Amino acid sequence: MNRRGFLATTAFGLTAGPVFAQAKTVSVYTAHNTTIVNALQPKFEAESGIKIELVKAGSGDIIRRVKAEAAAPKADVIWSIGGEALEENKALFAPYAPKDAAALVPAYKASPEWLPYTGIMAVFAVNNKKLKPEEYPKSWKDLADPKWKGKISSARADSSGSAFQQLATVLLAYGDKGWDIYNGILANMILSDSSGAVPRFVNDGEALVGLTLEDNALEYVRAGGNVVIVYPEDGTSTVADGIALVKGAPNAENGKIFLDWLLSKSVQEFVVKEIGRRPVRSDVAATGLKPLGEIKLVNYDMGKIAANRTQWIAEWRKALQNR
């Protein structure tokens, strides 16, 4: 779902008619998968009459840009960034209680400065044409085996929210041994600037295993591709992919409308059915997804992760140089 550089900026100008009749707009910075953006953007615009001015980039780049613009904000809403990045930088965002706040699953809530948008899960995407089921990796520890060298696709943990989630998951699952396990996996990785490309590399046979999000892998599974999903036996994480209203947003009221819309029951049902994300509303079922009760989960301590995120990224970069 991420890229290090800004990929696209789409600005909408004035409406037809008198020069003073400016279109209703909302400026949105997103790290979302392009397929999801293309599905939801026109839907919101048609239902609200508000045009989205879109900037698409990796999570890290979006945070850096919002920081750089803090004195004169240009963005109204951050759409789809890992909750730990929003938690670490919550001073950049304005508290907002959405219209349907009571329907949100308490486990996904963290701070009033940002909101859960969907539940995301770290998984392995495995090529089922080149590997037999008995050859599939079953755990994070399995991926540290040198036999996987050059066969694992992943995005960069210093620019991709999903790749950072994978790093944090291993560190939390293994405690004191976490870096030893993760460094073994890192030594086997082929890194990409785009997490959205990871399951494509697996599907095309350029990698045998991809570290990605459940919904990214599910897209290829549903399309009949060469991908199966493996939930690591030593534990994975499901966390909130977040949204936030930027402090000092120039179009704050339109931003609130967009946030309310993303959390509405109909949109949450849409992201489950069409996209394969897990809902953050208690009145929407995760239809078609493996039940959480059948998946081993680590305790993804958002406070601890936010407090250590900068240090862990610095250590990741050092480990990358030394591999």
Side-chain angles (χ1 to χ4, degrees), residues 2 9 20 27 30 49 53 59 61 75 87 89 99 121 124 127 170 172 179 182 184 191 200 203 290 293 308 319:
N2 308 328
T9 303
F20 54 84
S27 176
T30 186
E53 297 176 344
S59 301
D61 287 324
E87 180 70 14
N89 296 281
K99 183 173 63 175
M121 183 173 290
F124 305 160
N127 185 296
V170 174
L172 292 172
W179 277 109
Y182 186 85
L191 293 173
R200 175 170 56 80
N203 184 68
K290 187 171 183 177
N308 287 280

Side-chain angles (χ1 to χ4, degrees), residues 165-177:
Q165 180 185 342
Q166 295 149 16
L167 165 62
T169 299
V170 174
L171 297 184
L172 292 172
Y174 279 94
D176 293 342
K177 298 180 180 179

Side-chain angles (χ1 to χ4, degrees), residues 70-269:
K74 295 180 174 59
D76 299 308
V77 168
I78 304 302
W79 176 23
S80 186
I81 285 184
E84 66 278 351
L86 295 176
E87 180 70 14
E88 182 186 20
N89 296 281
K90 61 186 179 182
L92 297 171
F93 311 118
Y96 176 60
K99 183 173 63 175
D100 291 347
L104 298 181
V105 176
Y108 283 126
K109 297 178 185 178
S111 297
E113 290 84 4
W114 63 274
L115 297 162
Y117 155 58
T118 56
I120 57 177
M121 183 173 290
V123 301
F124 305 160
V126 177
N127 185 296
N128 63 350
K129 298 301 179 185
K130 294 195 171 185
L131 291 175
K132 299 175 182 178
E134 59 269 23
E135 297 174 316
Y136 297 170
K138 295 179 174 60
S139 67
W140 297 103
K141 191 173 182 179
D142 285 350
L143 294 180
D145 191 315
K147 73 178 183 180
W148 296 107
K149 189 171 182 63
K151 299 174 182 178
I152 300 173
S153 177
S154 175
R156 295 179 58 97
D158 59 350
S159 61
S160 162
S162 60
F164 177 81
Q165 180 185 342
Q166 295 149 16
L167 165 62
T169 299
V170 174
L171 297 184
L172 292 172
Y174 279 94
D176 293 342
K177 298 180 180 179
W179 277 109
D180 290 338
I181 299 295
Y182 186 85
N183 286 339
I185 302 171
L186 181 62
N188 294 332
M189 289 181 187
I190 301 173
L191 293 173
S192 167
D193 287 342
S194 167
S195 63
V198 168
R200 175 170 56 80
F201 292 146
V202 175
N203 184 68
D204 294 347
E206 297 177 49
L208 297 183
V209 180
L211 306 186
T212 189
L213 295 179
E214 182 182 40
D215 60 287
N216 289 344
L218 190 61
E219 181 179 349
Y220 288 86
V221 174
R222 288 178 170 177
N226 304 322
V227 171
V228 295
I229 296 174
V230 172
Y231 298 88
E233 292 178 351
D234 44 354
T236 190
S237 55
T238 180
V239 299
D241 189 36
I243 49 180
L245 183 70
V246 176
K247 187 180 291 184
N251 302 293
E253 293 309 309
N254 290 344
K256 293 174 183 178
I257 291 171
F258 184 52
L259 294 176
D260 284 344
W261 183 84
L262 289 172
L263 295 175
S264 67
K265 187 174 182 181
S266 62
V267 172
Q268 287 288 301
E269 289 173 340

